[in-house]
């Protein structure tokens, strides 16, 4: 379970980092004014990060990040069109800005999420492995996609759209951590997985209640601290 979740979060992190760094280049040609293009790029990142904070708390990490990848797929394919909208503005420029905002949502969410998925005993290893995969992908992706664009101008967007679809399914196979205590050991990870389907049913936005036994002063993944009295602990333990 820990192995597959580690592979999954590393793959999601790599896809997000790849798209994020690829879209950081080329705004001088995507948007009519290069200075305006890079300013709007920064604003789109700001919007994506703030939307992530709001949606992850309400809908959970899994659905929020998956929605980011799914939206990036749609707008990434829409960016294939060069139809003019007004003046020098085209569908490609508008769709690229929205796509970049959704990419930043998914990428930032994955980096935050990978601190909650692994158990505390493996946190450093998984975080560094997944983060390292993202860094390497982000480093090599821009020149690779630039060469792809020279031979086939539309191939970078099509390739990224396909990777975003992979990201959606990868994220949906990872566990939801919203409202659950942080896993301390591998046994806690196994218990958490037993309480959740490998691929979630749509319509359930929160994680199931059957998780590892609740412990007083346990730190939860949404930042809250549970400090129940002895009577509450006994009732919750019986329910589990």
């Amino acid at each position: 379970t820990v192995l597959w979740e580690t592979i999954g979060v590393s793959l999601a992190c790599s896809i997000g980092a790849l798209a994020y760094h690829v879209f950081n280049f080329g705004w001088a040609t995507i948007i009519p004014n290069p200075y305006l293009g890079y300013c709007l790029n920064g604003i789109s990142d700001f919007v994506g990060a703030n939307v992530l904070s709001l949606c992850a708390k309400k809908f959970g990490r899994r659905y929020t990040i998956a929605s980011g990848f799914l939206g990036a797929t749609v707008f990434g394919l829409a960016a294939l069109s060069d139809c003019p909208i007004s003046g020098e503005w085209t569908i490609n420029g508008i769709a690229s800005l929205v796509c970049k905002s959704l990419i930043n949502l998914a990428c930032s969410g994955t980096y935050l999420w990978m601190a909650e998925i692994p158990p505390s005993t493996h946190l450093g290893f998984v975080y560094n492995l997944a983060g390292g995969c993202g860094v390497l992908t982000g480093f090599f992706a821009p020149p690779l996609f630039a060469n792809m664009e020279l031979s086939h101008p539309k191939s970078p967007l099509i390739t990224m759209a396909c990777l975003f679809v992979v990201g959606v399914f990868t994220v949906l196979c990872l566990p939801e951590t919203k409202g659950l205590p942080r896993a301390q050991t591998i046994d806690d990870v196994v218990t958490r997985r037993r309480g959740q389907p490998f691929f979630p049913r749509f319509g359930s936005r929160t994680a199931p209640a059957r998780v590892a036994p609740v412990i007083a002063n346990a730190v939860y993944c949404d930042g809250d601290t549970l400090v129940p009295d002895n009577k509450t602990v006994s009732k919750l333990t019986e329910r589990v």
Side-chain angles (χ1 to χ4, degrees):
T1 301
V2 175
L3 174 62
W4 287 112
E5 290 183 1
T6 300
I7 294 174
V9 75
S10 299
L11 179 60
C13 185
S14 298
I15 294 172
L18 179 151
Y20 179 85
H21 290 288
V22 167
F23 263 88
N24 269 344
F25 297 91
W27 290 103
T29 56
I30 295 176
I31 303 299
N33 186 312
Y35 299 102
L36 178 62
Y38 282 102
C39 286
L40 291 176
N41 176 42
I43 293 173
S44 68
D45 285 350
F46 177 79
V47 172
N50 283 274
V51 171
L52 166 70
S53 300
L54 296 174
C55 293
K57 190 171 183 62
K58 183 174 182 180
F59 301 107
R61 281 69 161 153
R62 177 163 53 183
Y63 289 123
T64 299
I65 299 172
S67 298
F69 278 126
L70 182 61
T73 304
V74 175
F75 283 96
L77 292 175
L80 292 171
S81 174
D82 291 324
C83 294
I85 297 178
S86 176
E88 296 182 351
W89 286 88
T90 63
I91 293 178
N92 173 268
I94 302 298
S96 294
L97 284 172
V98 178
C99 184
K100 178 60 189 305
S101 183
L102 293 168
I103 289 169
N104 189 51
L105 182 152
C107 185
S108 301
T110 304
Y111 270 91
L112 294 173
W113 201 23
M114 66 186 184
E116 299 177 354
I117 290 180
S120 297
T121 54
H122 295 69
L123 177 59
F125 172 77
V126 175
Y127 198 91
N128 288 322
L129 176 63
C133 290
V135 169
L136 288 175
T137 306
F139 180 79
F140 289 106
L144 175 63
F145 276 70
N147 289 328
M148 290 172 59
E149 188 177 14
L150 293 176
S151 55
H152 302 284
K154 303 296 184 181
S155 60
L157 288 173
I158 295 174
T159 303
M160 281 193 290
C162 295
L163 291 174
F164 293 152
V165 173
V166 175
V168 171
F169 287 98
T170 300
V171 169
L172 289 177
C173 289
L174 291 172
E176 176 58 68
T177 57
K178 177 180 179 292
L180 296 180
R182 298 182 190 276
Q184 301 298 319
T185 64
I186 294 179
D187 290 338
D188 292 340
V189 174
V190 175
T191 302
R192 180 180 62 192
R193 172 57 69 184
R194 287 174 181 169
Q196 301 186 43
F198 188 77
F199 196 81
R201 294 179 181 178
F202 291 93
S204 176
R205 294 177 177 174
T206 57
R210 295 192 64 186
V211 293
V214 180
I215 304 172
N217 300 323
V219 179
Y220 280 64
C221 290
D222 53 7
D224 297 330
T225 302
L226 180 69
V227 190
D229 54 25
N230 293 331
K231 186 176 180 180
T232 306
V233 172
S234 300
K235 289 183 177 180
L236 290 174
T237 303
E238 290 176 2
R239 289 177 60 185
V240 173

